[in-house]
Amino acid sequence: GLRRGITSSAVFPLLRPGRTREIEIPLVIGFGEPIVAVNAMSSESDSDVKVLSSRLRGVFLLILPGDDGALTVRLERVANGLKAPTMVTSAGDGSGRLFIGEQTGAIKIVQNKQLLRTPFLDLSEKLVQLNAVYDERGLLGLAFHPQYSLNGRFFVYYSGQKTGEGIDHETIIAEYRVSGDLNVADPTSERIILKIDQPEENHNGGQLAFGPDGYLYIGLGDGGGAGDRHGEIGNGQDINTLLGSILRLDVDHGTPYAIPSDNPFVGREGLDEIYAYGFRNPYRFSFDRETGDFFVADVGQDEWEEIDLVINGGNYGWRILEGTHMYDPELANELGIDLNLLQAPIHEYSHAVGRSVIGGYIYRGIESSAMNGFYVFGDWSTGFFPGRGKLYYLQETEPSRWERMEFKLENNKPFNRYITGFGEDDAGEIYMVTTGLIGSLGKSGEVWHVMVV
């Protein structure tokens, strides 16, 4: 309905997630900011009310970002002219620098709000050949060692060229070291930690992060293709493959790494590197720098996106479940899995809301105290063309109950970009990377500082 005197309504007998229906509204001509209120009531769930801001331009109604009562953010652009950025992070060395990974292989530095021309490292020649129009491969992860200021060690995740048959490419986890110039890495210092065969080009995961325990965590997707179709039971529920899992490695001991003694499959069936499993595409995850809680955003299949609070040894359901919804119940019967023992997400949303969840961070900075303790994240885009990224936060309104809100934007305009990643600086301030184009054509990438007004 349109508030302020003009209303219109319709009742649908059934509206599935990801489906749309249209209703007619009375002809309104003019300018202004009417409010659109959508009331959803279903016999299958609780009722819900969505109040949307909008702008009337002639006979066109433009829906604006933000939920009624949500926080308003200012997006301060700190860098542009980037080529398909996938991540932004800091070295934790107190320098204040931001490191941005471009999908095409270069790691760039923003120092004193200036994008340096010389890359910190360029891995483009090591990558599999990318499709510039759209690709999920490339440079996908970057993590600096907790003692980086002392040892100069950092780790990357990239999609390397295949060396075997029957695969699309290889996931490479490698260690590098900084050179004598603090703004340039030593390209000859590569030490490969892990190689993983990838059957298809998509669902790569890609996140690298050091946990509060000092171990390196690695996110791996299910190997690609719709419906986790590789292997006899897929990869998500197969504990004898690294795919579809979060790995945890001790990169300070062993050759090339050691296994933490409390990894769940140490001394029993299953690969020792696995920390948690049952994921489809854990593209981005993070640790709460105050509590150590481990938040993983798992990109969904056809209908549901989910955010998980991950624990040691947890099974997060894919492909038995997509979110909390049945996808392949026969697989649970085949494997003898009790559905009650699967870990449920702390939040899920349907493809009527967004298409691909982009995991973010619990805010623990000082410049935007109003969102302290909120999980800031996004959705890549509501559709493929044009870019319509969404910026959200989760608030734990009571224990284990998380409420999603869409941020309002200070400029009160739609955000016509694809959201590709989030990161923190040394102080815990949150940054977001975006592109104006769907692939790596051109240099439409930007870095934004996310601040509450």
Side-chain angles (χ1 to χ4, degrees):
L2 287 172
R3 291 214 302 254
R4 300 184 182 175
I6 301 177
T7 62
S8 181
S9 64
V11 177
F12 304 128
L14 184 64
L15 189 60
R16 293 293 186 189
R19 307 293 188 265
T20 60
R21 295 284 295 272
E22 295 181 356
I23 63 171
E24 293 182 358
I25 64 172
L27 177 63
V28 181
I29 301 176
F31 297 89
E33 297 183 353
I35 299 297
V36 179
V38 181
N39 298 275
M41 293 171 287
S42 170
S43 60
E44 299 178 359
S45 64
D46 296 333
S47 62
D48 195 12
V49 177
K50 175 83 169 178
V51 180
L52 303 170
S53 299
S54 63
R55 178 171 294 141
L56 188 62
R57 293 178 174 175
V59 296
F60 297 100
L61 188 68
L62 181 66
I63 301 297
L64 302 175
D67 288 324
D68 190 37
L71 295 175
T72 299
V73 292
R74 173 184 301 124
L75 298 179
E76 178 189 27
R77 192 172 68 183
V78 298
N80 63 349
L82 294 157
K83 198 166 187 178
T86 55
M87 75 206 80
V88 54
T89 189
S90 68
D93 60 358
S95 68
R97 294 174 299 172
L98 292 175
F99 293 78
I100 300 98
E102 295 180 322
Q103 185 181 12
T104 49
I107 299 173
K108 303 289 185 64
I109 294 177
V110 172
Q111 186 173 33
N112 299 324
K113 297 186 178 182
Q114 296 294 320
L115 181 66
L116 303 187
R117 295 183 63 182
T118 302
F120 179 64
L121 181 65
D122 189 350
L123 299 171
S124 57
E125 292 186 359
K126 292 180 176 290
L127 299 185
V128 67
Q129 185 174 352
L130 303 180
N131 184 330
V133 176
Y134 177 79
D135 209 314
E136 294 184 20
R137 301 167 298 178
L139 174 59
L140 301 178
L142 168 65
F144 290 85
H145 191 280
Q147 301 299 319
Y148 176 75
S149 61
L150 300 177
N151 60 31
R153 301 168 64 197
F154 65 96
F155 297 79
V156 293
Y157 176 128
Y158 64 87
S159 304
Q161 301 167 22
K162 66 180 181 180
T163 58
E165 298 300 322
I167 61 174
D168 178 81
H169 68 282
E170 294 177 354
T171 284
I172 306 293
I173 311 299
E175 175 186 335
Y176 281 84
R177 292 178 181 265
V178 70
S179 71
D181 182 343
L182 295 182
N183 285 334
V184 180
D186 179 358
T188 69
S189 64
E190 182 178 59
R191 184 172 74 98
I192 293 179
I193 303 297
L194 192 61
K195 285 186 177 183
I196 303 161
D197 288 346
Q198 293 283 0
E200 300 198 39
E201 66 179 35
N202 57 350
H203 307 179
N204 296 296
Q207 181 73 42
L208 298 180
F210 281 91
D213 52 16
Y215 297 133
L216 179 64
Y217 290 73
I218 303 166
L220 292 171
D222 65 6
D228 192 14
R229 65 192 184 193
H230 295 284
E232 294 183 2
I233 61 171
N235 289 322
Q237 293 300 312
D238 188 350
I239 57 176
N240 292 302
T241 177
L242 298 179
L243 297 175
S245 302
I246 304 290
L247 313 184
R248 181 171 70 155
L249 308 181
D250 178 355
V251 294
D252 292 326
H253 302 92
T255 305
Y257 57 82
I259 300 294
S261 60
D262 62 339
N263 274 12
F265 297 111
V266 172
R268 51 178 288 204
E269 182 186 358
L271 296 181
D272 291 351
E273 290 88 348
I274 295 174
Y275 179 79
Y277 63 107
F279 298 100
R280 180 181 177 273
N281 188 14
Y283 172 65
R284 290 292 173 252
F285 58 70
S286 65
F287 294 90
D288 182 345
R289 60 171 57 197
E290 183 174 298
T291 67
D293 288 342
F294 185 17
F295 292 83
V296 175
D298 195 15
V299 179
Q301 178 64 48
D302 297 319
E303 294 188 344
W304 297 94
E305 304 296 307
E306 68 179 90
I307 297 170
D308 300 303
L309 193 55
V310 171
I311 60 173
N312 190 336
N315 181 351
Y316 290 83
W318 176 249
R319 73 181 194 226
I320 297 168
L321 299 174
E322 183 186 7
T324 61
H325 307 268
M326 281 294 182
Y327 188 87
D328 186 358
E330 289 77 13
L331 183 59
N333 294 330
E334 179 184 344
L335 300 178
I337 292 177
D338 183 349
L339 296 179
N340 294 318
L341 298 181
L342 298 177
Q343 301 294 321
I346 62 169
H347 183 72
E348 63 177 7
Y349 61 87
S350 81
H351 282 193
V353 174
R355 182 175 293 271
S356 297
V357 63
I358 306 295
Y361 291 78
I362 293 284
Y363 180 74
R364 298 297 182 187
I366 59 174
E367 296 184 21
S368 300
S369 59
M371 65 178 182
N372 182 56
F374 292 3
Y375 179 72
V376 178
F377 71 105
D379 189 273
W380 176 71
S381 178
T382 55
F384 274 90
F385 300 103
R388 291 287 189 269
K390 296 287 188 179
L391 185 57
Y392 296 109
Y393 61 91
L394 291 183
Q395 179 182 5
E396 192 174 18
T397 55
E398 56 185 78
S400 301
R401 183 177 178 85
W402 296 79
E403 179 182 356
R404 185 190 76 250
M405 297 287 280
E406 182 184 356
F407 281 108
K408 294 181 179 179
L409 301 186
E410 183 186 37
N411 63 7
N412 211 24
K413 295 179 180 178
F415 190 64
N416 299 327
R417 292 169 175 85
Y418 303 93
I419 297 175
T420 54
F422 291 85
E424 290 180 308
D425 65 13
D426 292 343
E429 296 301 316
I430 291 180
Y431 294 79
M432 174 176 66
V433 289
T434 66
T435 63
L437 300 173
I438 197 170
S440 56
L441 291 169
K443 295 183 177 181
S444 65
E446 298 168 302
V447 182
W448 306 85
H449 183 193
V450 181
M451 300 175 289
V452 170
V453 175

